[in-house]
Amino acid sequence: MARLQDPVTILKGVGPTMAKRFAQLNIFTLQDLICHFPRGYEDRTHLVTIDKLEVDVPACFKAVVMNTPRTAHIRKGLDITRVQVADHTARLNLTFFNNKFAVEQLRYGEEYIFYGAVSGDFVGYSMTNPVFEALSAQPIATRRVLPIYPLTAGLSNAAVLKAVRQALSICDPPAEILPESVRREYGILAADRAYYAIHEPQSMAEAELAKKRLIFEEFFVFSAGLSLMRAQRAQKKTVPYKNLDLQPFYNSLPFTLTTAQQRAIDEILADLGSGAAMNRLVQGDVGSGKTMVAAAAAYAAVQNGHQAAMMAPTEILAEQHYHSLSKLFAPLGVKVALLTGSMTPKQKREVRDAIASGEVRLAVGTHALLSEATVFCKLGLVITDEQHRFGVAQRAKLSSKGEDPHLLVMSATPIPRTLALLMYGDLEVSIINELPPGRQPVETFLVNESYRARINAFIRKQKEENHQSFVVCPAVEESEELSVKAVTVWAETLQQTVFPDLRIALIHGQMKAAEKEEAMASFARGEADVLVATTVIEVGVDVPNATLMVIEDADRFGLSQLHQLRGRVGRGGAKSYCILTSQNRNPDTLGRLKALCKTTDGFRIAEEDLKLRGPGDFFGSRQSGLPTFRVANLSMDLQTLKDAQNASAKWINTEGTADTPEGIALRARIGELFQRAEGTMN
Ligand code: ADP
Ligand code: MG
């Protein structure tokens, strides 16, 4: 017997050349090969009679050869072989191109199984290049369900099938990891059967069952992994926070918290006082005031002798948090520091020293906080903002800088519940479902180029009312540099020809952090009337005086991303507007943009976006932190996902820690999965 870890070269017929081709498909071991699942099947089980063949519908039929195949050599490189076959219902002419040697094996008077599609014309039906096998031969291409594999150059479907079949005959498929009880409850095939059936199903129904099993398994492993992490963390005891009086903090706020903010804070305080490590997600639409909730948590940590760290996905956002939080905390005597990658080594060293000595109580920053060089003195609370940009692994890495610190993650991207469970299955959830008082919904319009003059007039009108505008240009796909050029040129055009008398500012991802910060800060101080930007302003940036968001070529953004961008306005008391421009004429595209005009409900937009684009693009970013699945399709297999989540939750609570063979294999698989996730996310 071979082992799953053995290289594919131990298979007969797989030498170095074949191995290279398999490597193109990321297939190195027998396990990789066995887990190279078909992307679909062709049902060739059903035999029809010749008179029942339908034009252009491939089918299998049994027929006797009525003459000796004849080959005509048309020209160099083109041979045509013809033969006539028949069953008791009809005769049929077959034509083969360049297949002389195979076809001439067909024996007059003998029966074969053929698979192909007829094409019809006024002289009658004929069939081109059908597949055929002798009645006595083992069914390979006919009389069966044929798996269709993802392929690469030089590797035929038949070659993959042959290799898989051989692999399955010399080694056992991956071990069973689904508990018997779960398989019974959800009608799930056992592992050994599923791995054979996914490749060589007896019927389409069996192929479906095998696929369902493997999808279920993927979801189950992931959900169980998250549940295990959650259970393990819940067991970790911490010293309960005693000092939970936040009155000084509340007194220093320039506003009263909304009921929803207060509720989220109370839930956080209950966690912090419980003696177990907190794992909480705060989810709230853009502008719902999550930063203050995080600040309250940080204040509580500091009051109890701990340090807090807040990680943001971009430098701009980190800087903005730093400014608002240091202002808020200065009168309370809490020292806040900023740490980002673009600071000079000297600056970084100074901040790191102050973090290590404990002088800094709240460290705000980007990924720089994760680096080896950053050492905390007594880290008790880890906050990540706009969490959907980070993976599970990064969250874990920041946590490892303290001794089981409390964890608070914040996300403005409303995530459909099922997906939220996948990403945050290990977290408790607080929802801020209320905006600060006085906010009016942002009125949104979709227009084409014929409105250009009116858009410009509208930008001017904001200025006349002492308000500011954003103009966002889409990223140019080919390169970051081109995107920067596009936005730079557009800013110049606006300045020079359209608004010579207005102050136009520019911000994009290739500017130095200090320049970006200055551009942003200066815009926030009201020193520019229009800020032309790439999507660097997407997350979190706060300028309450801005009342207009113009998004150029809006069809090139995802709906959730547009919703985020739109959230940059409507943050003060004044009525705000969002104008989406598009030259796209596709009715579907325009339809979804119009849908965005009609609703400001982030959750509905997210559901819509998920349906349209699938979770891969859902966040418009490769770093979504979402796991990738081999078989499962997140937008199509939602019911299976829910089943697997329920099953894994139940399993954790009942037999999850028992050392059954399935339990041991499952825990090993979970370990592998999260290790792999870490590898790809850092
Ligand atoms: P987000 O949830 O998108 O991160 P922020 O925390 O950036 O939202 O808050 C958006 C704006 O609302 C900020 O200017 C903030 O100061 C303000 N804000 C937050 N909470 C309140 C409140 N309770 N009342 C009035 N304004 C608030
Ligand atoms: Mg925010």
Side-chain angles (χ1 to χ4, degrees):
M1 276 311 250
R3 291 168 321 137
L4 283 166
Q5 299 78 28
D6 288 337
V8 284
T9 44
I10 72 161
L11 296 174
K12 275 194 217 95
V14 181
T17 317
M18 283 289 265
K20 256 193 211 133
R21 291 175 187 157
F22 275 119
Q24 290 290 318
L25 295 168
N26 278 321
I27 298 172
F28 303 96
T29 63
L30 296 187
Q31 166 146 349
D32 298 335
L33 187 60
I34 290 171
C35 294
H36 186 63
F37 302 126
R39 58 177 169 77
Y41 299 91
E42 269 177 28
D43 188 354
R44 301 184 178 184
T45 48
H46 197 62
L47 289 188
V48 297
T49 49
I50 293 180
D51 63 333
K52 293 283 177 342
L53 287 169
E54 288 174 55
V55 171
D56 292 337
V57 180
C60 268
F61 58 98
K62 186 164 77 174
V64 61
V65 173
M66 301 300 288
N67 57 13
T68 302
R70 294 250 163 75
T71 299
H73 182 69
I74 306 294
R75 56 177 152 79
K76 191 167 186 300
L78 181 59
D79 286 334
I80 295 185
T81 312
R82 293 179 206 277
V83 65
Q84 191 182 62
V85 300
D87 66 7
H88 66 281
T89 64
R91 290 174 176 245
L92 183 65
N93 291 320
L94 308 182
T95 309
F96 296 86
F97 293 101
N98 296 335
N99 207 359
K100 184 168 176 254
F101 296 103
V103 182
E104 285 178 356
Q105 306 296 311
L106 288 173
R107 291 270 155 268
Y108 171 62
E110 302 228 340
E111 270 188 314
Y112 297 86
I113 305 289
F114 297 87
Y115 176 82
V118 285
S119 45
D121 59 25
F122 63 95
V123 220
Y125 290 131
S126 68
M127 185 177 284
T128 309
N129 291 335
V131 177
F132 59 87
E133 284 170 351
L135 208 53
S136 55
Q138 195 198 5
I140 291 177
T142 69
R143 293 161 290 168
R144 62 172 292 165
V145 176
L146 188 77
I148 308 296
Y149 290 99
L151 299 172
T152 185
L155 209 51
S156 70
N157 200 60
V160 175
L161 178 55
K162 220 171 114 192
V164 170
R165 178 181 282 179
Q166 211 192 128
L168 281 171
S169 72
I170 61 166
C171 86
D172 287 329
E176 181 59 83
I177 55 167
L178 294 177
E180 158 90 60
S181 58
V182 171
R183 275 182 280 140
R184 209 167 335 110
E185 185 170 349
Y186 292 93
I188 301 291
L189 281 190
D192 50 4
R193 232 186 104 199
Y195 281 102
Y196 289 104
I198 193 85
H199 293 291
E200 305 217 47
Q202 298 297 313
S203 63
M204 291 300 262
E206 200 192 33
E208 271 314 304
L209 273 179
K211 200 170 153 204
K212 181 180 164 197
R213 141 94 211 194
L214 293 164
I215 292 171
F216 189 95
E217 171 178 323
E218 264 188 321
F219 286 146
F220 189 91
V221 172
F222 192 80
S223 316
L226 289 184
S227 308
L228 267 186
M229 274 165 67
R230 179 186 193 147
Q232 276 163 7
R233 266 205 303 252
Q235 281 172 359
K236 286 184 180 155
K237 295 278 165 274
T238 59
V239 181
Y241 284 2
K242 293 257 157 39
N243 188 353
L244 295 174
D245 175 20
L246 298 196
Q247 207 51 50
F249 172 80
Y250 296 143
N251 291 344
S252 76
L253 290 177
F255 41 68
T256 342
L257 294 169
T258 64
T259 316
Q261 281 172 315
Q262 191 62 61
R263 189 180 52 229
I265 293 174
D266 291 343
E267 285 165 354
I268 289 168
L269 294 181
D271 290 349
L272 297 178
S274 74
M278 170 170 77
N279 292 289
R280 187 167 288 278
L281 164 70
V282 174
Q283 211 181 13
D285 216 338
V286 272
S288 61
K290 290 182 295 296
T291 317
M292 286 309 133
V293 172
Y299 183 76
V302 172
Q303 287 313 99
N304 289 274
H306 278 157
Q307 287 173 300
M310 182 191 275
M311 183 164 72
T314 64
E315 299 216 343
I316 294 193
L317 198 55
E319 282 151 15
Q320 196 177 16
H321 283 326
Y322 168 69
H323 286 301
S324 53
L325 293 174
S326 51
K327 207 162 74 198
L328 181 71
F329 280 125
L332 296 166
V334 175
K335 186 156 168 59
V336 184
L338 175 70
L339 184 67
T340 65
S342 66
M343 289 166 47
T344 65
K346 181 160 174 283
Q347 287 171 323
K348 278 191 250 189
R349 198 163 46 226
E350 280 169 12
V351 172
R352 284 189 170 125
D353 286 348
I355 293 174
S357 75
E359 180 195 342
V360 166
R361 307 310 297 169
L362 170 58
V364 180
T366 54
H367 288 76
L369 289 175
L370 296 179
S371 98
E372 295 293 319
T374 313
V375 178
F376 286 81
C377 158
K378 202 164 195 283
L379 181 61
L381 170 68
V382 165
I383 303 166
T384 58
D385 193 16
E386 304 300 343
Q387 165 69 30
H388 65 275
R389 298 288 186 102
F390 300 111
V392 175
Q394 282 168 318
R395 212 196 286 155
K397 191 157 175 187
L398 189 52
S399 292
S400 70
K401 293 192 175 287
E403 273 174 38
D404 302 334
H406 297 291
L407 186 65
L408 183 64
V409 307
M410 302 191 290
S411 177
T413 308
I415 294 165
R417 188 165 161 70
T418 33
L419 270 193
L421 274 170
L422 264 191
M423 294 179 69
Y424 308 126
D426 58 330
L427 304 175
E428 313 288 335
V429 180
S430 293
I431 289 183
I432 309 186
N433 54 359
E434 183 184 357
L435 295 180
R439 298 278 173 78
Q440 306 171 52
V442 178
E443 210 169 322
T444 309
F445 305 94
L446 172 63
V447 302
N448 58 26
E449 264 325 281
S450 71
Y451 283 74
R452 185 56 65 189
R454 279 196 258 175
I455 298 174
N456 290 341
F458 202 57
I459 292 177
R460 188 173 289 283
K461 182 158 173 275
Q462 307 309 309
K463 155 72 178 169
E464 279 157 8
E465 290 169 4
N466 286 319
H467 287 303
Q468 295 160 281
S469 304
F470 290 105
V471 174
V472 175
C473 301
V476 178
E477 266 161 35
E478 299 85 84
S479 80
E480 167 79 9
E481 240 158 78
L482 278 179
S483 304
V484 169
K485 180 139 188 281
V487 68
T488 310
V489 168
W490 190 234
E492 273 167 23
T493 312
L494 287 179
Q495 180 72 81
Q496 278 159 20
T497 58
V498 190
F499 304 115
D501 53 328
L502 300 196
R503 297 161 303 167
I504 312 286
L506 173 67
I507 186 165
H508 59 69
Q510 281 198 343
M511 285 161 64
K512 289 212 183 71
E515 294 168 349
K516 275 191 287 197
E517 187 187 358
E518 182 42 34
M520 208 56 230
S522 133
F523 187 66
R525 287 194 300 265
E527 292 166 5
D529 306 307
V530 180
L531 183 64
V532 182
T534 56
T535 50
V536 290
I537 60 155
E538 180 191 343
V539 277
V541 176
D542 194 35
V543 182
N545 189 45
T547 46
L548 173 61
M549 166 66 65
V550 179
I551 305 175
E552 302 288 354
D553 295 320
D555 49 278
R556 295 180 34 196
F557 297 87
L559 288 186
S560 291
Q561 207 181 5
L562 290 172
H563 180 60
Q564 289 279 317
L565 285 168
R566 174 168 65 181
R568 299 304 105 217
V569 297
R571 297 168 82 88
K575 173 93 188 140
S576 294
Y577 305 88
C578 175
I579 300 179
L580 310 173
T581 80
S582 175
Q583 314 210 50
N584 196 301
R585 284 158 189 250
N586 182 317
D588 291 344
T589 309
L590 294 179
R592 67 188 173 93
L593 292 178
K594 279 187 195 135
L596 190 76
C597 296
K598 287 204 205 92
T599 180
T600 50
D601 179 343
F603 280 91
R604 271 189 50 196
I605 292 166
E607 296 277 1
E608 195 59 26
D609 214 11
L610 179 65
K611 260 191 257 157
L612 283 168
R613 310 201 303 159
D617 308 328
F618 181 70
F619 301 107
S621 141
R622 263 177 299 128
Q623 284 189 331
S624 68
L626 262 183
T628 47
F629 294 99
R630 299 178 82 134
V631 214
N633 175 334
L634 280 180
S635 45
M636 284 168 60
D637 302 320
L638 286 183
Q639 187 55 48
T640 310
L641 171 58
K642 284 177 200 159
D643 287 347
Q645 281 168 339
N646 289 335
S648 73
K650 198 164 139 194
W651 172 78
I652 291 285
N653 289 327
T654 51
E655 45 190 309
T657 44
D659 279 340
T660 57
E662 288 94 353
I664 294 169
L666 177 57
R667 286 196 295 273
R669 184 82 75 82
I670 291 170
E672 267 168 43
L673 176 76
F674 282 93
Q675 225 167 9
R676 201 168 67 218
E678 176 138 33
T680 54
M681 275 189 281
N682 287 332

